[in-house]
Amino acid sequence: MALVGCGSAVPAASITNQQLSERVDTNDEWIRTRTGIRARRIAGPSESLTCLASRAAQAALDHAGWSPDDVDLILLATSSPDDLFGTAPRVQGTLGARRAVAFDLTAACSGFLFALITASQYLGSGTMKRALVIGADQLSRWVDWDDRSTCVLFGDGAGSVAVEACGAQDNGLLGFRMRSDGSRNGCLTLAQLDKHAPLLGELTAQRGGFAPIQMNGQEVYKFAVREVPAILSELLEATGTAPEQLDWLLLHQANQRILDAVADRFAIDHSQVLSNLALYGNTSAATIPLMLDEAVKDGRVQPGHLLASSGFGAGLSWGAALLRWQGPTD
Ligand code: UT7
């Protein structure tokens, strides 16, 4: 599978730490020093998840030089769909990608990486040729804006990568690992409310609706700084890759302290750690493709560059992939 295009989209409105401190008991200094976040984008009424995901996917389509009819598969990684029955078909409709099958995949902040790996299986088996993989989230819908321990962390956004089947010499997914640990699910949840309404006689029916995001920040932090280096080590060893061979670390953007800790574990210079947390906060499934698009478009990531990527978060779930960026082919 070759990575031949990318795109991203973020809402227009940005909220700084200072602005947030007018709403909830927090301050810029705490948020900056504990997380690295300075601002986040928040979707307005005309910026649905479908809209952001479609804009990101259209940009990836254009970058790859494809037409909508070239696309066989659209995979949308999200935990904040517009429609629980699936938002990917809405994106497919918006793009006019009539031949593509489109479906959602949910694995929280690991979602984009899991979706990219899933797409690679369809392309590698020869059943499909071209896919758009999207990571998009609008967690502003699901945070409790009065809970300072979570609301300062998240933002909205979308990113997408165009991938196509290729020969072994152009392969851009050199190895991967994926993990889940449901025994630690309670550390980070956006869970269905336990609300039941009378139906008939003694019978009740559960009502739909979700409780705001709840997180044990310290537990998730410890999980990330333990598991991300471990899974990356395993992957580098399995692929015979030395950390010095990496051009970039492309990690899920949750906390600058996590990014730095992972880099230090591999003695990778902090200048090789891609980070845009300061501007966008944690956009969940969107962070990795949003970051990749920025670094490709500003010329930091060049064709042939090797990137070690890792996503981690609710589930708990985590994964890693060794990627080689190719960019648009003529
Ligand atoms: O994308 C999914 C993956 N998610 C993550 O990777 C998140 C991982 N966790 C983290 O990044 C960090 O745990 C946080 C940034 C969420 C929190 O940082 P922390 O250093 O673990 O802080 P803490 O939760 O231990 O809280 C320390 C203090 C507490 O006050 P006391 O009890 O020491 O008086 C909190 O009440 O900071 C307080 N606090 C705040 N103060 C100002 C918590 N949130 C805030 C806030 N503003 N927004």
Side-chain angles (χ1 to χ4, degrees):
M1 172 179 95
L3 285 69
V4 298
C6 56
S8 63
V10 290
S14 177
I15 298 185
T16 63
N17 294 343
Q18 178 60 37
Q19 288 173 300
L20 211 46
S21 71
E22 291 164 23
R23 157 83 202 212
V24 67
D25 179 19
T26 188
N27 58 77
D28 176 57
E29 210 252 332
W30 190 97
I31 304 173
R32 251 187 317 102
T33 53
R34 301 272 179 151
T35 70
I37 299 166
R38 290 168 185 269
R40 70 285 296 140
R41 300 294 180 103
I42 304 294
S46 63
E47 296 170 314
S48 63
L49 191 88
T50 305
C51 162
L52 292 174
S54 301
R55 279 170 48 202
Q58 182 66 55
L61 200 65
D62 294 343
H63 189 217
W66 298 352
S67 82
D69 280 337
D70 292 332
V71 184
D72 300 306
L73 171 69
I74 297 173
L75 272 183
L76 172 61
T78 187
S79 306
S80 42
D82 287 338
D83 184 335
L84 284 180
F85 285 154
T87 302
R90 296 189 184 195
V91 175
Q92 182 236 17
T94 306
L95 296 177
R98 289 164 301 177
R99 291 181 46 255
V101 62
F103 57 96
D104 294 10
L105 185 153
T106 301
C109 302
S110 310
F112 174 78
L113 221 55
F114 282 17
L116 189 68
I117 293 161
T118 302
S120 79
Q121 303 305 298
Y122 289 102
L123 302 184
S125 69
T127 50
M128 293 180 182
K129 280 202 166 66
R130 287 180 165 151
L132 285 172
V133 182
I134 309 162
D137 265 310
Q138 229 172 298
L139 291 186
S140 63
R141 292 171 174 177
W142 294 112
V143 292
D144 174 353
W145 286 103
D146 295 316
D147 175 6
R148 67 176 184 176
S149 69
T150 51
C151 76
V152 303
L153 305 173
F154 298 102
D156 303 335
S160 177
V161 171
V163 288
E164 67 184 16
C166 66
Q169 72 288 350
D170 293 324
N171 185 23
L173 180 62
L174 305 174
F176 64 84
R177 291 284 186 276
M178 299 156 87
R179 298 268 190 283
S180 303
D181 180 2
S183 72
R184 290 187 275 174
N185 179 262
C187 288
L188 180 47
T189 56
L190 200 181
Q192 163 71 30
L193 288 166
D194 191 17
K195 203 165 99 189
H196 297 256
L199 180 63
L200 273 175
E202 307 256 290
L203 279 179
T204 62
Q206 193 169 7
R207 301 286 73 214
F210 294 86
I213 294 170
Q214 289 182 349
M215 177 169 74
N216 181 332
Q218 289 191 1
E219 281 306 311
V220 178
Y221 187 92
K222 281 189 261 170
F223 147 74
V225 295
R226 187 171 51 236
E227 300 295 1
V228 174
I231 201 166
L232 280 171
S233 289
E234 198 183 306
L235 180 61
L236 293 181
E237 198 175 313
T239 55
T241 310
E244 307 83 75
Q245 291 174 269
L246 297 173
D247 294 292
W248 300 104
L249 263 186
L250 173 60
L251 306 180
H252 169 52
Q253 312 274 304
N255 188 322
Q256 189 63 42
R257 290 189 288 146
I258 297 176
L259 302 188
D260 293 342
V262 175
D264 291 345
R265 161 68 183 73
F266 294 102
I268 291 173
D269 196 89
H270 288 192
S271 63
Q272 288 172 272
V273 183
L274 294 171
S275 173
N276 61 6
L277 259 171
L279 291 178
Y280 302 116
N282 179 346
T283 56
S284 192
T287 65
I288 291 175
L290 184 61
M291 183 65 253
L292 178 67
D293 184 48
E294 181 182 316
V296 165
K297 301 290 166 63
D298 70 18
R300 272 177 290 172
V301 171
Q302 292 286 321
H305 274 185
L306 194 59
L307 301 99
S309 187
S310 178
F312 54 91
L316 297 178
S317 63
W318 65 107
L322 187 63
L323 306 172
R324 195 178 292 285
W325 173 252
Q326 181 176 98
T329 47
D330 297 328

